[in-house]
Amino acid sequence: MSGEISEVDLFGDPVISRQEGRGRPEHIWTRERSNKVLLAFARGLSVKDAATTIGISVPTLRKVYFSEVEKRSEARLRMEMVQLSRLNDQAGAGNVAAEKELIKQLDRLRQRDQQQQLAPAPTKAAAPKLGKKEAAKAQAQDVRGLYEPPAPPTRLN
């Protein structure tokens, strides 16, 4: 990297001074940006939103932060375990507030897991896809208004 980092912008990203030559400087992996990407995945954001949070494109995110993208599915679970282990360490050190919070978090997570087991995910029943002619026929059957055929007589004499 021939450009020197002189200052940071509004979001704390380094501003790289312009180098001689064409093109944009290559994106460089940093621990801070890696943590931002992992937090975005732990929050449940998409790859596109995670790329937006650190100011790069999706292909660049997949190229530079490929290991973070691979961990995307289990990021929320791993973040919960890190939080619980920190609370457990503080509770073991004698912090009563951390012990109470640990119990509260464990109960919340247990309830969430039970709700997910009891209420299965709704399945989407796919309607058979109609062709062009069948769709036009079905639409013609639903026509109401001026061109609707008259109702049959109610009484016969």
Side-chain angles (χ1 to χ4, degrees):
M1 180 173 113
S2 62
E4 293 295 320
I5 299 173
S6 59
E7 53 187 65
V8 294
D9 64 3
L10 177 66
F11 300 115
D13 296 329
V15 176
I16 300 172
S17 62
R18 184 81 177 145
Q19 64 184 14
E20 292 299 320
R22 299 174 60 168
R24 186 177 188 158
E26 187 173 343
H27 181 79
I28 300 170
W29 182 95
T30 63
R31 167 85 50 209
E32 181 182 343
R33 289 187 194 134
S34 174
N35 288 340
K36 282 184 183 180
V37 170
L38 287 173
L39 282 174
F41 291 145
R43 185 175 166 233
L45 296 181
S46 66
V47 175
K48 181 180 182 208
D49 291 337
T52 303
T53 60
I54 61 171
I56 60 174
S57 66
V58 174
T60 303
L61 179 85
R62 290 186 188 279
K63 176 184 172 187
V64 178
Y65 300 97
F66 57 90
S67 63
E68 288 84 351
V69 173
E70 287 177 2
K71 298 174 188 174
R72 155 175 108 234
S73 60
E74 66 262 3
R76 183 181 58 86
L77 183 62
R78 293 181 72 177
M79 185 66 185
E80 288 174 358
M81 290 303 109
V82 167
Q83 182 184 18
L84 289 176
S85 68
R86 288 177 182 163
L87 283 172
N88 190 38
D89 292 342
Q90 288 182 0
N95 188 343
V96 177
E99 191 172 332
K100 289 179 182 178
E101 183 64 26
L102 177 64
I103 291 170
K104 190 189 312 181
Q105 291 294 327
L106 287 173
D107 285 340
R108 182 185 60 84
L109 293 172
R110 189 178 310 114
Q111 287 176 359
R112 185 190 68 196
D113 292 342
Q114 286 176 351
Q115 288 174 353
Q116 288 177 351
Q117 287 176 353
L118 294 176
T123 57
K124 206 184 215 183
K129 186 165 175 116
L130 299 176
K132 196 183 270 188
K133 292 179 183 177
E134 290 87 9
K137 259 186 201 176
Q139 188 178 9
Q141 295 296 327
D142 294 337
V143 171
R144 301 286 179 249
L146 179 64
Y147 299 106
E148 181 179 13
T154 56
R155 294 173 65 194
L156 293 173
N157 287 344

